Amino acid sequence: MSCVQKANMLPEKDPKRQGEKDPQEDPSVTLFREYLRIKTVQPEPDYDTAVKFLERIGSELGLQCQKVEVCPGRVITILTWKGTNPHLRSILLNSHTDVVPVFEEYWRYDPFSAFKDSEGNIYARGAQDMKCVSIQYIEAIRKLKAEGRQFPRTVHMSFVPDEEIGGHKGMEMFVKRPEFATLNVGFALDEGLANPTDTFTVFYGEKCPWWIKVKVEGNPGHGSRFIENTAAEKMHRVITSFLEFREREKQRLKSEKHLTLGDVTSLNLTMLNGGISFNVVPSEMSAAFDIRIPPTVDLKAFEEQLTAWCRAAGEGVSYEFHQKYTDQSVTSTEESDPWWKAFSGTCRDMNMKLQCEIFPAATDSRYIRAAGHPAIGFSPMNRTPVLLHDHNEFLNEQVFLRGIEIYAHLISALASVLPLQAEA
């Protein structure tokens, strides 16, 4: 039975599918599912509805709300819980509002219905990446405020657009604006990944994404002849050099058991273009590569290697960058660091096993770190398959609810970190 057939067999009036409220459902889960139903899907995300949703919640919780339009149609929403000593550096809880596209024919349920099955699994685009974290932040603060708690440090929640397409009209612009500077950020939390084991993965740094297009020029002619120095021959040499390096890194990851995906350079050929007709040898071809480089790699030496591969392929071979991120800042995970000590100590108190890694892709954390602020990538989803950007993305409601408890403890600890030497 196909996925489409299964979806069509769903009851038409199932309240969990239609978006009606279930009186027996935890209100935090209901809010999470409401947020999931807002179609902030690229390339045309409904940001206006998302911002109104967040404003409504901020008003309910008595939080200050600020909206910063970093460019037309791209608004950063900031909800602020003021601390008792606002001169201290603040805690920033960041999340993005957009989600990646879907191929609905491969989904068991409508990816924007937030359908919950009998096991409590909530299916929706953004269930893991990362609307769960947004609502967990909110509900953790709701819980703390209901308990009458107050903390010295101010807590900001930032909800940013366009992370899924690079953050160039979102966090990258925001960190350069005076409104970000006035947040007085001391430490930030952002997204991580699910972990199928009992362990929680924590990310203290990220790879540098390099997107390059290699262009080759060669002799054209009739498709029946053995023409010398064709673009295809040169492109073959380029691709061979790049993919041989890819295989070496792949084997290194397999053979050195202590390594994770974040510790090696990933490289993939993602686009190949050239030619106009079957019987015409093209004079030009191009290939696009997505390269992700860990912070342990010398970027200057790596680019020299790219240049050497292109030079070895022959004359008329060049490359251009479509993205070249070079900041290799990482956040301290030493117990002597007060922020990490508060984070890791709280997790130990909750008997959480942490695994520290370099994030294998890229998130908005890289812009926060580049601006000089420590940031940790963390999504409290253990015993959960990694399904970000995948079909049938889901999160179990019990995992979601536990994440609220985890964030409540983490926010309490981080917002209570004693004044640092620079703040005295």
Side-chain angles (χ1 to χ4, degrees):
M1 185 181 293
S2 72
C3 292
V4 174
Q5 287 173 317
K6 287 181 182 178
N8 290 338
M9 291 173 62
L10 287 171
E12 287 299 319
K13 297 298 183 182
D14 185 337
K16 296 173 184 175
R17 186 170 189 245
Q18 298 297 324
E20 300 169 16
K21 289 186 178 180
D22 179 351
Q24 296 181 327
E25 184 174 72
D26 188 292
S28 297
V29 174
T30 302
L31 189 68
F32 175 37
R33 295 173 70 194
E34 181 184 351
Y35 191 31
L36 289 169
R37 294 185 185 108
I38 302 173
K39 297 184 74 170
T40 52
V41 59
Q42 295 288 357
E44 296 181 355
D46 182 6
Y47 285 138
D48 288 344
T49 302
V51 170
K52 290 176 183 176
F53 171 83
L54 295 166
E55 284 184 295
R56 186 195 88 202
I57 293 171
S59 178
E60 289 174 1
L61 295 179
L63 301 176
Q64 297 175 8
C65 181
Q66 180 183 15
K67 294 185 293 183
V68 181
E69 189 172 38
V70 294
C71 65
R74 295 299 180 263
V75 173
I76 312 288
T77 305
I78 305 150
L79 301 181
T80 296
W81 186 15
K82 196 171 182 180
T84 58
N85 189 351
H87 298 293
L88 296 178
R89 291 191 176 275
S90 67
I91 307 303
L92 178 66
L93 308 176
N94 185 63
S95 62
H96 62 82
T97 53
D98 60 325
V99 299
V100 295
V102 297
F103 298 93
E104 292 195 30
E105 64 270 25
Y106 294 106
W107 280 71
R108 190 172 295 120
Y109 310 106
D110 178 348
F112 297 102
S113 68
F115 178 83
K116 184 171 70 172
D117 69 13
S118 59
E119 296 179 354
N121 296 321
I122 300 166
Y123 289 83
R125 176 57 85 220
Q128 291 188 14
D129 184 16
M130 66 172 299
K131 290 185 174 180
C132 56
V133 172
S134 302
I135 302 302
Q136 285 167 331
Y137 291 157
I138 288 166
E139 293 300 279
I141 287 178
R142 187 192 303 273
K143 172 182 168 61
L144 294 169
K145 285 178 70 71
E147 294 171 355
R149 304 286 300 277
Q150 286 187 304
F151 305 101
R153 296 181 184 273
T154 293
V155 178
H156 302 288
M157 290 184 286
S158 55
F159 305 88
V160 302
D162 280 18
E163 189 276 344
E164 294 293 6
I165 54 173
H168 307 302
K169 292 183 179 180
M171 183 58 81
E172 184 177 19
M173 298 182 74
F174 183 44
V175 297
K176 299 171 183 175
R177 291 180 62 104
E179 293 93 340
F180 181 84
T182 60
L183 297 181
N184 192 28
V185 174
F187 183 81
L189 290 179
D190 200 353
E191 66 182 314
L193 295 174
N195 192 317
T197 73
D198 284 336
T199 300
F200 293 85
T201 316
V202 177
F203 299 97
Y204 62 93
E206 300 188 3
K207 292 181 175 182
C208 289
W210 283 14
W211 293 352
I212 70 167
K213 179 178 282 187
V214 179
K215 296 181 178 180
V216 299
E217 298 176 354
N219 294 326
H222 198 281
S224 64
R225 301 174 56 207
F226 287 110
I227 298 167
E228 298 292 333
N229 294 320
T230 64
E233 290 173 301
K234 296 175 185 178
M235 182 58 76
H236 177 261
R237 297 181 197 121
V238 168
I239 292 174
T240 297
S241 295
F242 277 59
L243 294 189
E244 283 180 349
F245 170 80
R246 179 186 189 275
E247 183 62 23
R248 289 194 297 273
E249 289 294 280
K250 180 181 175 183
Q251 292 305 319
R252 190 162 72 92
L253 177 61
K254 285 184 177 181
S255 62
E256 300 181 33
K257 300 302 181 184
H258 68 284
L259 295 179
T260 68
L261 182 57
D263 296 316
V264 299
T265 301
S266 62
L267 182 152
N268 282 289
L269 172 61
T270 54
M271 291 185 286
L272 191 60
N273 293 287
I276 56 172
S277 176
F278 277 102
N279 61 350
V280 177
V281 176
S283 60
E284 295 182 358
M285 297 187 76
S286 68
F289 296 91
D290 182 344
I291 310 172
R292 311 292 175 113
I293 311 166
T296 51
V297 171
D298 183 325
L299 296 181
K300 183 174 183 293
F302 187 78
E303 185 170 0
E304 289 172 352
Q305 181 65 76
L306 296 180
T307 302
W309 287 336
C310 291
R311 187 184 303 116
E315 293 183 359
V317 180
S318 61
Y319 66 86
E320 62 183 20
F321 282 96
H322 286 245
Q323 182 174 192
K324 185 183 183 182
Y325 198 77
T326 58
D327 187 272
Q328 294 181 299
S329 302
V330 296
T331 297
S332 174
T333 55
E334 298 292 331
E335 288 299 322
S336 58
D337 181 87
W339 300 115
W340 176 252
K341 184 178 180 180
F343 181 93
S344 61
T346 301
C347 292
R348 279 195 301 271
D349 291 343
M350 290 186 283
N351 296 314
M352 295 168 57
K353 182 181 178 183
L354 302 182
Q355 180 174 319
C356 295
E357 296 183 11
I358 295 294
F359 197 81
T363 74
D364 281 337
S365 288
R366 68 188 188 275
Y367 301 125
I368 298 171
R369 294 191 190 99
H373 309 290
I376 288 292
F378 173 71
S379 296
M381 300 181 289
N382 68 340
R383 302 178 186 174
T384 301
V386 180
L387 294 170
L388 78 167
H389 299 196
D390 205 345
H391 311 312
N392 295 309
E393 179 182 355
F394 75 85
L395 183 64
N396 185 271
E397 66 179 336
Q398 294 305 318
V399 175
F400 168 76
L401 289 169
R402 190 190 177 201
I404 295 171
E405 294 293 328
I406 290 170
Y407 276 124
H409 284 86
L410 286 172
I411 293 168
S412 299
L414 292 167
S416 299
V417 167
L418 296 174
L420 308 180
Q421 186 174 0
E423 299 172 321

